[in-house]
Amino acid sequence: NAGVTQTPKFQVLKTGQSMTLQCAQDMNHNSMYWYRQDPGMGLRLIYYSASEGTTDKGEVPNGYNVSRLNKREFSLRLESAAPSQTSVYFCASSEGLYSNQPQHFGDGTRLSIL
Amino acid sequence: AQSVTQLGSHVSVSEGALVLLRCNYSSSVPPYLFWYVQYPNQGLQLLLKYTSAATLVKGINGFEAEFKKSETSFHLTKPSAHMSDAAEYFCAVRRDDKIIFGKGTRLHILP
């Protein structure tokens, strides 16, 4: 019963490098989300996808792009990494945007930008 | 706009003592409210949710929360703390098509 799977779990990048964080869910959920978590800041929404084929900006989208590849997969791309993007990134999914059902989270990707 | 405020970024209680983590929300309509727990190096897990069916909501691991509209609060409690409860706890509210999280309260359990 995997739930939400994120890869990689850890990554170190140099400033200016690019990378893609992968996320897949096996719960047949319609909506998926990317958050970043920084000390004392809680979780901040980067991008979300209401359903396959749609994406929308969240609270802190600058410097990121996303792709909803299919219903299961939602990737987050850093085109030119900056030290300010050092953070823990979480992917989540839920049945729908307006549902009272909760979000289910992956275990996170810990990203350091040098 | 809906938001949540968690009072106290760190709370320490002795093992066996009452746990009380505070959450206040701002909302003009009855909200959907959630409590999540995050253990070290893990993602967030749902503890419980309020969806207007009952004001006292029971969750996993012996936690419960009471919705008080007059106080716009949704505080999390557990009668007797256990060492395994040490974690970070997040209150969250649904706002339109998003869930807004509080900044979290780290719970420390003293032996």
Side-chain angles (χ1 to χ4, degrees):
Chain A
N1 200 7
V4 179
T5 302
Q6 291 184 236
T7 55
K9 294 188 183 304
F10 303 93
Q11 186 70 49
V12 178
L13 293 178
K14 295 181 179 179
T15 297
Q17 288 184 317
S18 63
M19 81 160 295
T20 299
L21 280 61
Q22 306 287 352
C23 175
Q25 52 92 9
D26 62 1
M27 295 172 283
N28 201 34
H29 284 168
N30 291 308
S31 302
M32 298 185 73
Y33 314 80
W34 276 106
Y35 293 90
R36 60 178 288 173
Q37 183 179 30
D38 302 290
M41 303 290 287
L43 274 76
R44 293 183 291 170
L45 183 64
I46 305 171
Y47 270 93
Y48 64 104
S49 170
S51 59
E52 185 178 354
T54 69
T55 61
D56 285 286
K57 295 179 180 179
E59 182 183 355
V60 288
N62 292 344
Y64 305 95
N65 286 300
V66 291
S67 296
R68 184 73 182 267
L69 304 171
N70 47 54
K71 190 172 186 179
R72 292 186 63 249
E73 299 173 288
F74 188 38
S75 63
L76 178 72
R77 183 163 178 83
L78 287 70
E79 290 291 351
S80 179
S84 61
Q85 295 177 305
T86 293
S87 187
V88 182
Y89 292 85
F90 287 99
C91 178
S93 70
S94 67
E95 289 186 1
L97 286 186
Y98 297 94
S99 167
N100 65 0
Q101 296 305 309
Q103 294 180 353
H104 297 258
F105 286 80
D107 284 340
T109 294
R110 285 148 185 83
L111 182 61
S112 294
I113 315 295
L114 305 178
Chain B
Q2 297 192 32
S3 65
V4 290
T5 302
Q6 293 185 240
L7 299 179
S9 57
H10 292 264
V11 170
S12 296
V13 300
S14 298
E15 190 175 17
L18 172 71
V19 175
L20 171 61
L21 304 182
R22 300 176 186 274
C23 173
N24 289 88
Y25 67 91
S26 63
S27 173
S28 58
V29 296
Y32 291 140
L33 291 159
F34 308 88
W35 274 101
Y36 287 84
V37 60
Q38 184 181 30
Y39 298 103
N41 299 317
Q42 294 186 23
L44 278 68
Q45 303 173 31
L46 181 71
L47 270 179
L48 50 82
K49 65 178 182 180
Y50 169 76
T51 57
S52 77
T55 57
L56 184 62
V57 182
K58 294 188 182 298
I60 62 172
N61 301 337
F63 284 94
E64 62 182 32
E66 186 172 9
F67 174 73
K68 292 187 176 180
K69 184 177 179 180
S70 61
E71 299 177 8
T72 61
S73 68
F74 190 56
H75 301 332
L76 183 70
T77 60
K78 181 174 180 178
S80 177
H82 191 274
M83 296 301 290
S84 61
D85 295 327
E88 189 157 21
Y89 293 80
F90 293 90
C91 183
V93 64
R94 177 169 290 287
R95 184 182 77 189
D96 298 326
D97 57 352
K98 303 178 185 64
I99 291 181
I100 307 300
F101 289 87
K103 295 190 185 305
T105 298
R106 187 167 297 278
L107 178 63
H108 305 270
I109 311 297
L110 307 173

